[in-house]
Amino acid sequence: CCLQLYGYCYQDSNDIPDTLTTITELGSPLEMIQLLQTSWEDRFRICLSLVRLLHYLAHSPLGSVTLLDFRPRQFVIVDGELKVTDLDDASVEESSCTSNSDCFMEFPARNFTLPCSVEGRCQSMNEKRNLYNAYRFFFTYLLPHSAPSSLRPLLDKIVNATGNHNKHCNAKYLALELSPSPSVNSEFTQKCVKSANTQNWIALRVPEAYIPDENYRCWPSYHHKGCLLSVFDVNEAIEICDSYSQCKAFVLTNQTTWTGRQLVFFKMASNHIVPDPDKITYVKVTD
């Protein structure tokens, strides 16, 4: 959930005494506009790692931890997952109260009042603050946009629950909803496939072959100079190619995404095919 600490050292200097230097793993800055241009599969992975972070913060060894400065700039991406890079504003103190009115949380768009416990503490305020900030900075942008239709009811349920502060919504609830058995990534892998009965062409299979050129751009793509998408099987690749007027062939690679979907290059032509033992080319031969 947090950047891994590789080492640290103390060093005195003439200007600043007791200087602490830390060495952590390297992460990429989180750019929301850039994230919105990536595939939904990658954005879902980021949200799933955020849910795991929320669950850890709610049940940490120190107690429930809130991030008072919960903004995208406090996070980085490491190997496709979200990690906290700044814990200076973390707090484990649940607000004290004498009545519910003392448990007032104010945000730019909405305000909430939580119950005051018999112990004189605002119930789950740290966890609820993290949840709503996750909703307004991450879930509302990254989850619904171009999500598979089979998962939209679940995603709408999660976004609404975190945005409206549903009383049953907590970090554990999100973890269970997004990581059930079978898991959501299995749902995405299997149920995202449409019927291939509408395809209007036949593909010639050319094993151990690759088309090095003839690229065109599509969105979202895993490759900035070509059209590289993930598919469940060959039928889905045929259907995707059929949806692009410029697509005349596609190449199955031996690479998969984190959910197990296969990466496929879509091509404008098949004039130049070269040997490649790790790939299979399919060429459109009839309309």
Side-chain angles (χ1 to χ4, degrees), residues 102-135:
D102 295 327
C103 302
F104 182 74
M105 289 198 303
E106 185 175 7
F107 296 97
R110 297 200 61 175
N111 301 321
F112 302 96
T113 300
L114 299 178
C116 179
S117 70
V118 293
E119 294 84 11
R121 295 288 178 182
C122 295
Q123 290 184 17
S124 305
M125 178 171 275
N126 286 347
E127 182 177 8
K128 292 291 188 179
R129 182 182 287 113
N130 288 340
L131 285 173
Y132 188 75
N133 280 326
Y135 156 79

Side-chain angles (χ1 to χ4, degrees), residues 69-243:
D69 192 12
F70 196 117
R71 286 183 286 180
R73 70 182 185 185
Q74 305 288 39
F75 300 87
V76 294
I77 303 296
V78 179
D79 295 329
E81 299 199 357
L82 197 71
K83 293 195 176 186
V84 178
T85 184
D86 188 353
L87 293 173
D88 290 347
D89 295 302
S91 173
V92 296
E93 293 294 328
E94 294 276 19
S95 300
S96 59
C97 59
T98 57
S99 66
N100 290 351
S101 61
D102 295 327
C103 302
F104 182 74
M105 289 198 303
E106 185 175 7
F107 296 97
R110 297 200 61 175
N111 301 321
F112 302 96
T113 300
L114 299 178
C116 179
S117 70
V118 293
E119 294 84 11
R121 295 288 178 182
C122 295
Q123 290 184 17
S124 305
M125 178 171 275
N126 286 347
E127 182 177 8
K128 292 291 188 179
R129 182 182 287 113
N130 288 340
L131 285 173
Y132 188 75
N133 280 326
Y135 156 79
R136 70 189 186 106
F137 287 119
F138 293 97
F139 296 154
T140 189
Y141 299 109
L142 300 183
L143 278 179
H145 178 55
S146 70
S149 57
S150 60
L151 292 178
R152 282 178 184 165
L154 172 63
L155 300 176
D156 289 342
K157 177 182 174 184
I158 289 171
V159 171
N160 290 333
T162 52
N164 295 324
H165 258 320
N166 186 303
K167 64 179 181 179
H168 300 298
C169 181
N170 53 34
K172 184 177 181 180
Y173 160 82
L174 290 183
L176 290 173
E177 285 292 325
L178 287 179
S179 303
S181 181
S183 62
V184 168
N185 56 335
S186 176
E187 290 273 326
F188 175 62
T189 302
Q190 298 176 21
K191 293 186 179 179
C192 188
V193 185
K194 299 178 182 177
S195 170
N197 295 331
T198 57
Q199 66 197 41
N200 57 14
W201 55 279
I202 298 174
L204 173 66
R205 184 177 185 271
V206 186
E208 299 186 356
Y210 177 61
I211 303 172
D213 302 311
E214 307 296 347
N215 291 314
Y216 66 90
R217 294 184 179 182
C218 66
W219 183 91
S221 173
Y222 287 91
H223 193 283
H224 68 283
K225 290 185 178 180
C227 186
L228 179 63
L229 303 174
S230 69
V231 303
F232 175 64
D233 59 10
V234 173
N235 283 336
E236 188 179 6
I238 291 174
E239 184 170 350
I240 291 174
C241 189
D242 194 36
S243 68

Side-chain angles (χ1 to χ4, degrees), residues 23-42:
I23 301 94
T24 64
E25 64 181 325
L26 184 64
S28 303
L30 195 152
E31 300 289 345
M32 192 60 65
I33 295 179
Q34 199 172 51
L35 283 182
L36 290 173
Q37 296 173 346
T38 63
S39 69
W40 182 87
E41 196 174 359
D42 286 345

